[in-house]
C-alpha cells in the first residue's frame, strides 16, 4: 500500500510533509512525497518560504507515478497557481483518489497559499477532488460566504459539490462549543462526527494529519465513511496526548493512535 503527499516541508516536523510521512507510517502505508515548498518553520511560526519551481515539482511527481503503484494522493501546501497547475495537469488522467487539504494559513498566521491562487484551486484542482477537507476559514475563502451556523456549513458544502468535489469534510475546529463537529457531505449523503473539544495549544499540523490519515486509510482500501471516522480518531488522539515540545503551537502526537489502539470517543450522526 503506497500513498503520496504533495505538500510543503515543515522544518519543525509538526506539519506538512513530515506530519504526512509520520501519519502514513503509523497507519501502515508506505509514504512517497513531492515537495512543493521548503519552509523555515518551528512551533513559533513560519520564518521563510522557498517554493519549488514548477518544473522540479513536475519531475518529482512524475518520478513517483512512473515507478510506484500509488493507491491514494493528498495535497497540502500548494503555495501558488503555477504549482497548482502542475499538480492538476499531471493528475488529470490518473484514476487515483485525491484528498485535497486546502492549506492557506499556518497556525502562526503565515500565508501558505497566495490569494490569487484560490481561483486556480477552484477551477483546476477541486473538480478532480475525491475528498476536500477545509476548516471553516478555508471554506469561507473558497466559497466567498460567511459560515456561522449549521445551515451555513451545508450551503458551503453544496458549493464545493457544485465545483466538482465528490465529498467535502468541513471541519469544526474553529467553531465554538464543547464538541468539535465535522460535517461530511456528498451529493447524495450526509453525516457528522462529534468529538470532545480539547483545550490545548498543541494543534500544529492537525489539518495535515487528518487529511493524511484519510489518505492512508483510502490507500488501505477502507470505505469512505470508515476512512474518515478512523482518521478523526487518529487526529483526536494525537491532540489529546500532546508531546509538550516547542515554545509555541506544539505538534500533535503521532504515536498516540497506536498506543490507544484507536480507541477514543467519536459520535457519528447520520
Amino acid at each position: 500500500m503506497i500513498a503520496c503527499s504533495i505538500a510543503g516541508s515543515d522544518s519543525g516536523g509538526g506539519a506538512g510533509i513530515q506530519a504526512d510521512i509520520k501519519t502514513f507510517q503509523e497507519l501502515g502505508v508506505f509514504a512517497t512525497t513531492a515537495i512543493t515548498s521548503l519552509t523555515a518553520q518551528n512551533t513559533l511560526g513560519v520564518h521563510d518560504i522557498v517554493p519549488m519551481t514548477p518544473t522540479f515539482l513536475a519531475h518529482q511527481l512524475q518520478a513517483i507515478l512512473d515507478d510506484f503503484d500509488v493507491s491514494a494522493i493528498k495535497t497540502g501546501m500548494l503555495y501558488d497557481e503555477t504549482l497548482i497547475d502542475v499538480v492538476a495537469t499531471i493528475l488529470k488522467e490518473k484514476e487515483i483518489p485525491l484528498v485535497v487539504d486546502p492549506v492557506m494559513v499556518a497556525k502562526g498566521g503565515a500565508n501558505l497559499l497566495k490569494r490569487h491562487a484560490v481561483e486556480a484551486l477552484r477551477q483546476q484542482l477541486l473538480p478532480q477532488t475525491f475528498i476536500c477537507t477545509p476548516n471553516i476559514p478555508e471554506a469561507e475563502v473558497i466559497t466567498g460566504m460567511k459560515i456561522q451556523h449549521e445551515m451555513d456549513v451545508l450551503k458551503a458544502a453544496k458549493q464545493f459539490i457544485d465545483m466538482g468535489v465528490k465529498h467535502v469534510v468541513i471541519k469544526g475546529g474553529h467553531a465554538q462549543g464543547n464538541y468539535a463537529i465535522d460535517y461530511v457531505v456528498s451529493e447524495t449523503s450526509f453525516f457528522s462526527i462529534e468529538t470532545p473539544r480539547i483545550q490545548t495549544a498543541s494543534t500544529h499540523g492537525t489539518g495535515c494529519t487528518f487529511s493524511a490519515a484519510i489518505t492512508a486509510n483510502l490507500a488501505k482500501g477502507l470505505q469512505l465513511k470508515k476512512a474518515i471516522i478512523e482518521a478523526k480518531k487518529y487526529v483526536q488522539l494525537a491532540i489529546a496526548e500532546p508531546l509538550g515540545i516547542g515554545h509555541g503551537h506544539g505538534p500533535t502526537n503521532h504515536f498516540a493512535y497506536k498506543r490507544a489502539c484507536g480507541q477514543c470517543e467519536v459520535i457519528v450522526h447520520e
Side-chain angles (χ1 to χ4, degrees), residues 144-175:
M145 64 175 286
K146 189 70 176 171
I147 299 174
Q148 296 178 308
H149 308 290
E150 182 177 292
M151 288 305 299
D152 298 330
V153 173
L154 299 179
K155 288 177 182 176
K158 185 179 184 306
Q159 285 201 41
F160 277 90
I161 303 303
D162 289 344
M163 292 176 201
V165 174
K166 296 292 187 296
H167 310 274
V168 59
V169 184
I170 299 184
K171 300 174 293 188
H174 287 76

Side-chain angles (χ1 to χ4, degrees), residues 230-244:
E230 286 303 311
K232 185 63 175 180
K233 291 179 181 179
Y234 185 94
V235 75
Q236 181 75 3
L237 288 163
I239 296 169
E241 299 184 22
L243 295 169

Side-chain angles (χ1 to χ4, degrees), residues 24-96:
F24 291 170
Q25 182 80 15
E26 287 295 302
L27 291 175
V29 172
F30 185 83
T32 61
T33 64
I35 298 176
T36 61
S37 303
L38 303 175
T39 70
Q41 185 175 174
N42 54 27
T43 65
L44 299 173
V46 178
H47 306 286
D48 198 6
I49 298 173
V50 179
M52 293 294 107
T53 65
T55 299
F56 188 65
L57 175 59
H59 288 169
Q60 292 179 79
L61 187 52
Q62 199 61 60
I64 293 163
L65 296 174
D66 285 347
D67 189 37
F68 296 97
D69 294 323
V70 176
S71 298
I73 298 174
K74 70 150 285 189
T75 65
M77 177 186 179
L78 294 174
Y79 192 64
D80 67 20
E81 70 277 11
T82 65
L83 301 182
I84 291 172
D85 179 67
V86 166
V87 173
T89 300
I90 291 177
L91 297 185
K92 191 170 185 178
E93 303 304 322
K94 305 295 181 183
E95 294 184 0
I96 303 172

